[in-house]
């Protein structure tokens, strides 16, 4: 009987030890799974934070881009619609004239060497009338000057030279047409800006006088608004000045080509006389 109780006790102890080992293994497995889940959660949180940071940076960039346009609009309104509007009108009109002159001058540019060769060939093959026909079919101020010189070739070389010089002055006037208005807008834009600044400063001092106290915020606000017109006027003048200088250089290039071609035409008529 005692042996049976001893066997039962040993069997109980064995089963309890086995259960304890299994329970410990299960506990270790659960802990490992929890650690893995914790690491996965931390990785997901880090990825989510990186994505959120990238989205926030993109939103900040978009807001800064939108804010830039809003600031320009706001500064334009703060400068006052009266003077800022007139300065803006100077910019629009000046750019319109500059674009028109650029198109005209580019169309007036021609290959004077090719035209001179064509006129020389026409003079040898068909005479003056054939050369005049070549000039009629060619666009540009150089061909117009050639036509006038050829039209008076029968009156002598002196008349040809006088005709070329006179009509060259006419063509130069057509090339320079509108440039004086662009120059006017270049000078007028900063003047209007300075006038707006002076009037704004007067308004700021009137506000100080009415308040009876020199407030830094009041003075700074009035001066800032007054200076906006000057800044805008100077920007308009600089933009138009770039176009004006380009047009002047283009006109000088065409005029030099006209003068060179005119001398060559006179020499050609003398040789084929």
């Amino acid at each position: 009987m005692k042996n049976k109780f001893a066997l039962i006790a040993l069997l109980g102890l064995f089963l309890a030890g086995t259960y304890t080992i299994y329970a410990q293994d299960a506990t270790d497995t659960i802990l490992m799974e929890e650690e893995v889940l914790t690491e996965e959660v931390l990785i997901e949180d880090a990825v989510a934070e990186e994505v959120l940071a990238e989205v926030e940076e993109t939103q900040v960039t978009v807001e800064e881009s939108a804010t830039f346009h809003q600031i320009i609009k706001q500064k334009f309104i703060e400068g006052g619609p009266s003077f800022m509007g007139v300065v803006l009108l100077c910019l629009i009109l000046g750019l319109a004239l500059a674009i028109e002159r650029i198109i005209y001058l580019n169309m007036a540019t021609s290959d004077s060497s090719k035209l001179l060769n064509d006129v020389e060939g026409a003079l040898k093959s068909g005479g003056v009338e054939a050369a005049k026909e070549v000039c009629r079919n060619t666009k540009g101020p150089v061909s117009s000057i050639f036509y006038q010189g050829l039209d008076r070739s029968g009156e002598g070389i002196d008349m040809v030279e006088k005709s070329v010089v006179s009509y060259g002055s006419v063509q130069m006037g057509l090339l320079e047409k509108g440039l004086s208005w662009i120059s006017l807008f270049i000078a007028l834009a900063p003047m209007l800006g300075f006038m707006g600044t002076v009037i704004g400063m007067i308004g700021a001092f009137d506000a100080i006088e009415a308040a009876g106290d020199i407030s830094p915020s009041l003075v700074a606000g009035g001066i800032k608004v007054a200076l906006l017109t000057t800044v805008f006027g100077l920007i308009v003048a600089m933009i138009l000045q770039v176009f004006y200088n380009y047009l002047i250089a283009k006109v000088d290039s065409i005029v030099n080509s006209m003068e060179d071609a005119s001398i060559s035409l006179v020499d050609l008529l003398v040789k084929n006389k």
Side-chain angles (χ1 to χ4, degrees):
M1 191 71 180
K2 290 181 180 180
N3 292 331
K4 291 181 178 179
F5 280 118
L7 289 173
I8 292 171
L10 289 173
L11 181 62
L13 290 172
F14 178 74
L15 292 174
T18 304
Y19 177 76
T20 303
I21 292 171
Y22 285 150
Q24 186 175 1
D25 291 340
T27 303
D28 293 338
T29 303
I30 292 171
L31 290 174
M32 290 177 64
E33 291 178 353
E34 289 180 352
E35 290 178 356
V36 171
L37 290 174
T38 304
E39 292 178 355
E40 291 178 353
V41 170
L42 291 175
I43 293 172
E44 291 178 356
D45 291 340
V47 171
E49 289 178 357
E50 291 179 358
V51 173
L52 182 60
E54 292 178 357
V55 171
E56 289 178 352
E57 289 179 358
T58 304
Q59 291 178 351
V60 168
T61 304
V62 173
E63 289 178 356
E64 288 179 353
S65 177
T67 305
F68 177 74
H69 298 290
Q70 292 176 357
I71 288 174
I72 293 177
K73 182 179 179 181
Q74 180 182 358
K75 297 301 181 182
F76 182 84
I77 295 173
E78 288 179 356
S82 57
F83 286 98
M84 295 290 277
V86 176
V87 175
L88 179 61
L89 182 63
C90 291
L91 175 62
I92 294 172
L93 294 177
L95 287 177
L97 288 171
I99 293 172
E100 186 272 334
R101 284 290 89 191
I102 290 173
I103 295 173
Y104 179 84
L105 293 176
N106 286 330
M107 293 178 64
T109 304
S110 60
D111 190 356
S112 58
S113 299
K114 181 179 181 301
L115 177 61
L116 189 62
N117 292 330
D118 293 340
V119 170
E120 184 177 5
L123 281 172
K124 292 178 179 179
S125 61
V128 177
E129 292 300 326
K132 289 168 65 176
E133 186 65 25
V134 171
C135 295
R136 274 195 293 264
N137 295 329
T138 306
K139 295 181 180 179
V142 177
S143 61
S144 299
I145 293 173
F146 277 18
Y147 183 86
Q148 294 297 323
L150 292 169
D151 192 38
R152 290 169 174 77
S153 60
E155 301 177 10
I157 299 300
D158 292 337
M159 287 300 299
V160 171
E161 291 180 352
K162 291 179 180 179
S163 176
V164 166
V165 172
S166 299
Y167 203 71
S169 300
V170 173
Q171 290 296 321
M172 187 183 299
L174 293 176
L175 294 175
E176 294 177 348
K177 182 181 178 182
L179 295 182
S180 59
W181 288 103
I182 299 177
S183 177
L184 173 65
F185 293 138
I186 291 173
L188 193 61
M191 287 182 183
L192 290 172
F194 291 142
M195 183 180 293
T197 298
V198 172
I199 293 176
M201 293 291 290
I202 293 172
F205 283 112
D206 288 339
I208 294 171
E209 183 181 5
D213 188 15
I214 300 178
S215 174
S217 60
L218 184 62
V219 176
I223 294 175
K224 181 190 74 172
V225 173
L227 292 177
L228 286 175
T229 56
T230 300
V231 172
F232 193 66
L234 292 174
I235 292 173
V236 169
M238 287 187 290
I239 293 173
L240 295 179
Q241 187 68 51
V242 172
F243 284 97
Y244 180 78
N245 288 352
Y246 169 78
L247 293 172
I248 291 296
K250 191 72 173 177
V251 169
D252 290 341
S253 176
I254 296 175
V255 169
N256 290 332
S257 178
M258 287 165 47
E259 292 176 351
D260 187 34
S262 299
I263 295 172
S264 300
L265 176 65
V266 173
D267 295 337
L268 183 63
L269 290 176
V270 171
K271 184 172 64 175
N272 291 275
K273 185 176 179 181

